[in-house]
Amino acid sequence: MLLRSCRVIPRETHRIFISRSISSRKFEMAPPILSLALPSETGRVLSIQSHTVQGYVGNKSAVFPLQLLGYDVDPVNSVQFSNHTGYPTFKGQVLNGQQLWELMEGLKANDLLYYTHLLTGMPNDFLCYFIYLINEKILLLYIWISSCCYFAGYIGSVSFLNTVLEVVKKLRSINPKLTYVCDPVLGDEGKLYVPPELVEVYREKVVPVASMLTPNQFEAEQLTGFRIVSEHDGREACNKLHAAGPAKVVITSINIDGHLLLIGSHEKEKGQSPDQFKIVIPKIPAYFTGTGDLMTALLLGWSNKHPDDLAKAAELAVSSLQAVLQRTLDDYKTAGYDPQSSSLEIRLIQSQDDIRHPQIKFKAENYS
C-alpha cells in the first residue's frame, strides 16, 4: 500500500530538481572571504607583476615572502612564462590592459576589491643575463636585458600603465587609505630599458599617486631630472620625489665612489623635513634575478609593520635580502658552479627563517 501511494518523479525532472537544489544550497551557503571578514593585522595585498613557472622573479619573488610576513596576497600575473628570459628560450603568455581590467571587474562584481596595499614592479622584471670574459686586465661585460614588458610590448605600453593607474583609482575609491608601493623599473647603470615616453608617464602620473617609491640610482635620476653623484645628491633626489607625491622613498642602490648605499627618506608630514638615513650594503661578486622584486616586497612588508620607522623597516629588508643572496651564493658554490658565469636563481624557499626573523646585520645611519 505504501509503495502504491508514492508518486514517481520522472528522471529528467528529478535531475533538474537536484541540480537546482544543489545550486541554491551553494549560493545560500557560500562562505565569506575570510581575508575580508577576518582581515589579518598586516593587510591584503594586490600584486601586479610577472610570473614564471620555474624560478623566482616578479610575483614568484614577492608573494611568498609577503605571505611569510603575514599578508594575504592576491597576485595578478602580467606575464606567465615558462622561465625568465635569461635562459636560451622561454614560452608563455602576456596580459594586456583590457584583460587586466576584466580581472578587476570580476573582483568588483563579487565585492572583492578591498585591498590595503597595491604592489607593482612596472615595467615588470627586467631580467639580466651577465657573462664575464676576462682577458688580461680587460673585463668585458655582455649584458642581455630582456625587459619583458617594454621592448616586446608585454606590460610596458603606455596603455597598460594607464590601466594600472585606473586600478589605483578604483582601489582608492573603495579604500581611500590604500598604500601603493611602486618599484619604477626603468633602467640601471646609465641605460634606459624603456621608451622615453614611459619615463614621462611615470614622472607625471605614477609618482604622484604612489605612497612609497623604490627606485635605484639611475631611476631616481630619470624621475627627478637630477644627477646623483654624492650622498647629498641622493638625499636631494628623495626630497624632489617627496614634493612630487610619495611620503616614503627608498633609493635601493646608489654607487658612490665604489661604495654601495641605500638611502631612505620618510616625509611624515607634508612640507616638513623628512627623516633620512643610509645603509651601507656589501657588494657580492655575483648577479641574481628577482632581487629587486624581493627587496620591494620586503620593504612593503616591514614598513607596514613599522609605519613610523622606515629606517628599521629598511634594516630588516636589507638584512633579509643579504641573507638570501649569501645562501644562494654558497649553495651554487657547493654545487660546483661558478657564480660569476651567469645570473643566479635566488634560494627563496630555503631562506624562510631569514625572511620571517631576519638578524639585523646592516644598520641604518641617520642623517642629521
Side-chain angles (χ1 to χ4, degrees), residues 188-189 216-218 228-232 234 251-263 278-284 322 362 365 367:
D188 200 7
E189 299 289 339
N216 60 32
Q217 179 176 355
F218 177 72
I228 300 174
V229 296
S230 67
E231 290 184 43
H232 180 270
I251 304 179
T252 55
S253 61
I254 297 181
N255 196 327
I256 304 294
D257 298 326
H259 299 287
L260 197 61
L261 305 174
L262 173 150
I263 292 181
K278 70 175 180 180
I279 298 177
V280 178
I281 303 172
K283 288 186 175 181
I284 297 179
Q322 290 299 313
F362 303 93
E365 301 175 43
Y367 291 110

Side-chain angles (χ1 to χ4, degrees), residues 6-18:
C6 289
R7 181 182 176 186
V8 178
I9 301 176
R11 180 174 297 176
E12 288 301 317
T13 304
H14 181 67
R15 199 176 285 136
I16 293 171
F17 175 78
I18 291 176

Side-chain angles (χ1 to χ4, degrees), residues 8-253:
V8 178
I9 301 176
R11 180 174 297 176
E12 288 301 317
T13 304
H14 181 67
R15 199 176 285 136
I16 293 171
F17 175 78
I18 291 176
S19 176
R20 288 178 177 173
S21 297
I22 292 174
S23 177
S24 177
R25 284 200 303 272
K26 281 183 178 179
F27 179 78
E28 293 173 359
M29 298 173 63
I33 304 301
L34 290 181
S35 61
L36 294 174
L38 300 173
S40 67
E41 295 181 358
T42 47
R44 188 165 183 253
V45 182
L46 179 66
S47 179
I48 305 176
Q49 300 192 69
S50 67
H51 171 84
T52 56
V53 176
Q54 194 281 328
Y56 295 94
V57 297
N59 273 331
K60 284 285 290 289
S61 189
V63 172
F64 181 61
L66 283 170
Q67 290 172 332
L68 286 177
L69 293 177
Y71 293 82
D72 286 307
V73 187
D74 291 348
V76 173
N77 297 327
S78 55
V79 303
Q80 179 166 267
F81 287 164
S82 55
N83 46 268
H84 74 64
T85 53
Y87 286 88
T89 63
F90 66 93
K91 301 290 184 178
Q93 302 82 37
V94 177
L95 191 74
N96 61 39
Q98 180 181 349
Q99 291 167 331
L100 171 61
W101 192 248
E102 286 176 356
L103 292 174
M104 296 304 104
E105 288 180 331
L107 291 170
K108 180 178 181 293
N110 292 289
D111 295 323
L112 299 175
L113 266 185
Y114 182 89
Y115 290 96
T116 58
H117 296 77
L118 171 65
L119 172 62
T120 65
M122 318 291 285
N124 211 338
D125 315 284
F126 60 93
L127 305 173
C128 306
Y129 185 61
F130 295 85
I131 300 177
Y132 289 91
L133 298 175
I134 301 178
N135 182 8
E136 297 180 342
K137 294 184 179 180
I138 300 176
L139 181 65
L140 300 177
L141 172 62
Y142 291 91
I143 304 177
W144 173 21
I145 303 290
S146 76
S147 176
C148 56
C149 37
Y150 286 112
F151 290 147
Y154 295 156
I155 71 169
S157 67
V158 172
S159 62
F160 192 94
L161 200 52
N162 284 331
T163 303
V164 172
L165 289 166
E166 288 300 314
V167 171
V168 176
K169 182 178 179 181
K170 173 57 70 175
L171 295 183
R172 283 201 169 134
S173 71
I174 297 170
N175 177 18
K177 295 182 179 180
L178 175 86
T179 297
Y180 174 27
V181 178
C182 176
D183 180 11
V185 184
L186 302 173
D188 200 7
E189 299 289 339
K191 180 179 177 60
L192 197 64
Y193 300 153
V194 303
E197 59 267 24
L198 287 171
V199 177
E200 184 177 352
V201 175
Y202 269 96
R203 186 186 301 124
E204 296 183 358
K205 295 183 178 181
V206 178
V207 172
V209 299
S211 309
M212 178 190 289
L213 208 64
T214 62
N216 60 32
Q217 179 176 355
F218 177 72
E219 291 157 354
E221 291 175 340
Q222 292 298 309
L223 293 173
T224 60
F226 186 76
R227 180 91 170 132
I228 300 174
V229 296
S230 67
E231 290 184 43
H232 180 270
D233 292 340
R235 297 174 63 189
E236 184 59 29
C238 289
N239 292 336
K240 291 180 178 293
L241 291 170
H242 285 315
K248 296 179 180 180
V249 177
V250 178
I251 304 179
T252 55
S253 61

Side-chain angles (χ1 to χ4, degrees), residues 119-120 181-183 214 252 291-301:
L119 172 62
T120 65
V181 178
C182 176
D183 180 11
T214 62
T252 55
T291 55
D293 310 309
L294 174 58
M295 182 61 180
T296 299
L298 292 171
L299 284 169
L300 184 161

